[in-house]
Amino acid sequence: MTAAPNDTRIAEIELIPVNIHYAHREKSAIVSRSGITETLVKVTLENGLVGWGEATRCADAGTIVAALTAMRPFFIGRDVFQDEAVHRDLWIRGGWHLQPMTANLAFAGIDMALWDLKGKIAGRPIHDLIGGQMREEVEYYYYLPLTNDAELRAHCRDGISRGFRVFYIKVGINEAEEEDYLRLIREEIGPGRQIRIDANQAWSVPDAVRILNRWQDTIGIDLIEAPVKIDDLSQMHDVRMRTGASISINEGLWHEPDVQRIIHERPGDYLCFSTYWVGSARRLMTMAWLSHHRGWKIIKHTHGELGLAAFMGQHLMLAAPNADIGHQHTAAWMKSDVIQDDLPPATTPKWGRISAPGLGVEIDERSIAAAFADYQKNGPILFNEDD
């Protein structure tokens, strides 16, 4: 479906908070949850064309709904192609420059819907509009849950049978138990596949140095994400210097100035982030190119996402100049979704080109209705719940 240029004004923005449950409880040093609450953003133009976005959350889903509600008036009546002008007005006149992290989480959902619309108007997939694809396919990781030995072995074997080369697990809760798990994983996947771990800033510098040096020598750790606190970059520099570990930065990429500072000061080798960190696809691509020129690699982040955000991330990683392998996803964990399309990372590490216009997805209205009803009945799924 295409639209004439003079039909591209925004008529309505609808917000639909939804609950989607996981097959495995997600546990880490900072989270324990059975699913994810996201806010779907439905943008309708005056000509009736519809675009969809997904706003992710951190601590509180209701805060994102409130932020999106406050942002909505800035978009009504504006042209879908004037997104940067709207962002400027929103940022300054709306006062969102004073709450950048919440603003970016919320704005990224609207931004996604606008790119979906622009792609549909142009008749091209989003990655064609942000520079075109730099690779034929994107490779994802196998997300291992913190569980028991038998289930962990089964997951490793499942990942191997599906062709995954990168296996990822959380650490930072129980050092001895995690070391046993990592030895088991290495035993199962062999020496030719990667183990990546994420401590979510749980360690002190001395503990990070001690643990990483031992695990690198005895197990073989290919990448550590967020070993220590990020606010003081000297801690990350210290760990990098004293361990030689490849470090991935995730926490701390809260908005553009943070990303630029980290790219410049180089406390790691990988940037792990997505549009909801910096607020828009255009900003992420700007940071991808900036980091590319400084020798970084990037990995798509997830802190829980549904199919819409997963498709958006795939478009971006197809087009980014320095995308690595082992991108993050939760597709294999979700019991349901809000789109009709299958998410390849749920079953295979490789995801190729998206050819349909815009995001390239079909919405599942029944699933959305059920997920919205769950939210209305039970409230949001908490970031930390009792087991």
Side-chain angles (χ1 to χ4, degrees), residues 4 26 36 49 66 99 117 155 165 170 181 186 222 266 274 277 300 328:
E26 184 177 26
I36 187 73
L49 190 65
Q99 294 176 252
L117 284 163
H155 282 293
R165 295 191 295 164
K170 297 286 188 177
Y181 283 162
R186 179 56 73 197
D222 296 276
R266 199 175 179 80
S274 288
W277 281 162
K300 185 191 79 69
Q328 300 185 0

Side-chain angles (χ1 to χ4, degrees), residues 127 133 135-138 314 318 344 350-354:
H127 60 76
Q133 66 184 85
R135 57 195 51 82
E136 292 299 318
E137 59 188 12
V138 177
Q314 173 68 2
L318 283 169
K350 303 293 182 64
W351 188 354
R353 185 179 189 273
I354 301 169

Side-chain angles (χ1 to χ4, degrees), residues 229-238 261-262 265 267:
K229 295 290 188 291
I230 189 64
D231 290 339
D232 177 5
L233 290 184
S234 67
Q235 294 188 39
M236 208 72 74
H237 283 295
D238 199 8
R261 176 176 67 108
I262 287 170
E265 296 194 24

Side-chain angles (χ1 to χ4, degrees), residues 53-70:
E54 175 188 335
T56 65
R57 51 73 76 97
C58 284
D60 177 54
T63 300
I64 303 303
V65 175
L68 285 164
T69 301

Side-chain angles (χ1 to χ4, degrees), residues 84 87 91 100-112 115 253-256 273-284:
E84 285 297 336
H87 184 275
W91 209 248
M101 291 171 62
T102 299
N104 284 344
L105 287 163
F107 184 83
I110 300 176
D111 177 73
M112 192 186 305
W115 280 103
L253 304 176
W254 306 128
H255 68 320
E256 289 171 277
F273 67 134
S274 288
T275 54
Y276 38 83
W277 281 162
V278 291
S280 74
R282 189 176 286 111
R283 282 163 177 75
L284 183 137

Side-chain angles (χ1 to χ4, degrees), residues 92-285:
I92 303 303
R93 293 200 293 115
W96 285 106
H97 63 291
L98 301 174
Q99 294 176 252
M101 291 171 62
T102 299
N104 284 344
L105 287 163
F107 184 83
I110 300 176
D111 177 73
M112 192 186 305
L114 300 185
W115 280 103
D116 188 28
L117 284 163
K118 288 184 281 190
K120 289 173 178 176
I121 291 167
R124 304 296 292 266
I126 290 172
H127 60 76
D128 279 354
L129 306 184
I130 54 177
Q133 66 184 85
M134 302 286 282
R135 57 195 51 82
E136 292 299 318
E137 59 188 12
V138 177
E139 185 170 343
Y140 289 80
Y141 71 15
Y142 194 101
Y143 191 177
L144 294 166
L146 284 169
T147 176
N148 57 63
D149 287 6
E151 289 188 4
L152 196 55
R153 286 189 189 278
H155 282 293
C156 288
R157 293 170 184 176
D158 178 63
I160 292 170
S161 71
R162 297 180 186 277
F164 284 87
R165 295 191 295 164
V166 179
F167 291 75
Y168 172 98
I169 193 167
K170 297 286 188 177
V171 296
I173 303 172
N174 184 315
E175 179 185 335
E177 185 177 80
E178 290 155 5
E179 184 163 331
D180 288 341
Y181 283 162
L182 289 168
R183 291 181 186 278
L184 183 155
I185 293 166
R186 179 56 73 197
E187 176 186 326
E188 288 292 335
I189 70 173
R193 298 179 180 88
Q194 292 190 22
I195 296 177
R196 294 182 176 179
I197 58 176
D198 181 4
N200 288 117
Q201 304 184 93
W203 294 331
S204 65
V205 170
D207 284 341
V209 171
R210 173 180 55 81
I211 293 168
L212 285 173
N213 280 330
R214 186 174 73 251
W215 287 359
Q216 283 181 295
D217 289 342
T218 60
I219 298 166
I221 302 300
D222 296 276
L223 181 152
I224 169 66
E225 183 178 324
V228 293
K229 295 290 188 291
I230 189 64
D231 290 339
D232 177 5
L233 290 184
S234 67
Q235 294 188 39
M236 208 72 74
H237 283 295
D238 199 8
V239 171
R240 191 180 186 210
M241 180 179 65
R242 294 167 63 187
T243 65
S246 290
I247 293 177
S248 177
I249 308 296
N250 170 226
E251 287 96 336
L253 304 176
W254 306 128
H255 68 320
E256 289 171 277
D258 290 329
V259 182
Q260 292 178 60
R261 176 176 67 108
I262 287 170
I263 289 172
H264 176 70
E265 296 194 24
R266 199 175 179 80
D269 304 288
Y270 300 84
L271 299 171
C272 183
F273 67 134
S274 288
T275 54
Y276 38 83
W277 281 162
V278 291
S280 74
R282 189 176 286 111
R283 282 163 177 75
L284 183 137
M285 289 300 295

Side-chain angles (χ1 to χ4, degrees), residues 305-318:
E305 64 187 10
L306 310 181
L308 291 167
F311 264 77
M312 188 68 186
Q314 173 68 2
H315 284 285
L316 292 164
M317 293 305 101
L318 283 169

